[in-house]
Amino acid sequence: MDRFVIRKPKAPESPRKRDPGEKVYKQATIESLKRVVVVEDIKRWKSVLELPGQSKDNLIEALEELKKKIPSKDVLLSTKIGHTVNKMRKHSDHDVANLAKDVYTEWRTFIRDYSNKPSIEVRSDPKTESLRKNARKLLCDALELEIDHPLAENIEREAFHLSSRLINAPYRRTVRALVFTLKHKPETRAQVKTGALPVSALVQNHKK
């Protein structure tokens, strides 16, 4: 009987027109929430703010990212990010200083008014921190700098960030490539130490 049935193609449904006044909801990730703080990100932006010779764009980006979060009092004390942002309020650049003031004021006000409100903190485990510390030692050696130098820390944190905050194969390969370049290419090493080659560009070029 099917041969006598005339099958017509189904007409495509016209897209539903959205009411101009209708609210559009965007799904949020847990990390995008203001009170969910990834401690590693706080430390990463802190290292950017504290590294000498940073460009205005880098400083503004770091402060803008910090402005999206409100760390708990414990995080502020353990990372000392509040002290770092407070110092940036005296920066010679007007835009940087004003943004730092906004961030510091918002944090201080929230802690004062809602100090008992819980927050979610995401931290690295001890094994991860130990492996990362070893990576920084290798970077310090390659840079010919003293142990725990902020430049090596900044490079390692950028590599960790680009590896999705995981000690995985790409992270290990990236660190090895960075150590090799900094140790065996004096010209690149000098550019990184003087700030002529930004840390972000260096790490991005060696991402594996």
Side-chain angles (χ1 to χ4, degrees), residues 99-111:
L99 183 53
K101 182 180 179 181
D102 290 345
V103 175
Y104 185 81
T105 301
E106 183 176 358
W107 288 358
R108 186 177 60 182
T109 301
F110 188 90
I111 295 299

Side-chain angles (χ1 to χ4, degrees), residues 113-171:
D113 298 340
Y114 304 99
S115 59
N116 60 341
K117 190 173 181 179
S119 63
I120 300 175
E121 299 166 15
V122 183
R123 297 177 182 269
S124 298
D125 61 275
K127 184 178 179 181
T128 295
E129 287 302 316
S130 177
L131 292 170
R132 296 181 63 194
K133 188 173 182 180
N134 288 335
R136 290 175 200 165
K137 287 180 180 178
L138 292 173
L139 288 166
C140 283
D141 181 59
L143 287 162
E144 299 179 351
L145 295 171
E146 65 273 16
I147 297 298
D148 294 331
H149 193 281
L151 178 56
E153 177 188 350
N154 197 237
I155 293 172
E156 188 279 330
R157 289 194 185 282
E158 190 66 24
F160 189 62
H161 174 73
L162 291 182
S163 302
S164 303
R165 296 194 295 265
L166 294 171
I167 301 296
N168 50 17
Y171 171 83

Side-chain angles (χ1 to χ4, degrees), residues 28-44:
T29 62
I30 189 169
E31 289 182 13
S32 69
L33 303 177
K34 205 171 183 71
R35 290 290 288 159
V36 176
V37 175
V38 179
V39 177
E40 167 56 29
D41 288 345
I42 298 294
K43 291 179 178 179
R44 175 173 170 248

Side-chain angles (χ1 to χ4, degrees), residues 44-45 48-49 55-68 99 158 161 200:
R44 175 173 170 248
W45 296 121
V48 171
L49 294 177
S55 67
K56 176 181 176 179
D57 288 345
N58 284 352
L59 296 176
I60 292 292
E61 180 187 9
L63 289 167
E64 289 284 4
E65 290 298 322
L66 288 170
K67 197 173 190 297
K68 296 176 183 177
L99 183 53
E158 190 66 24
H161 174 73
S200 57

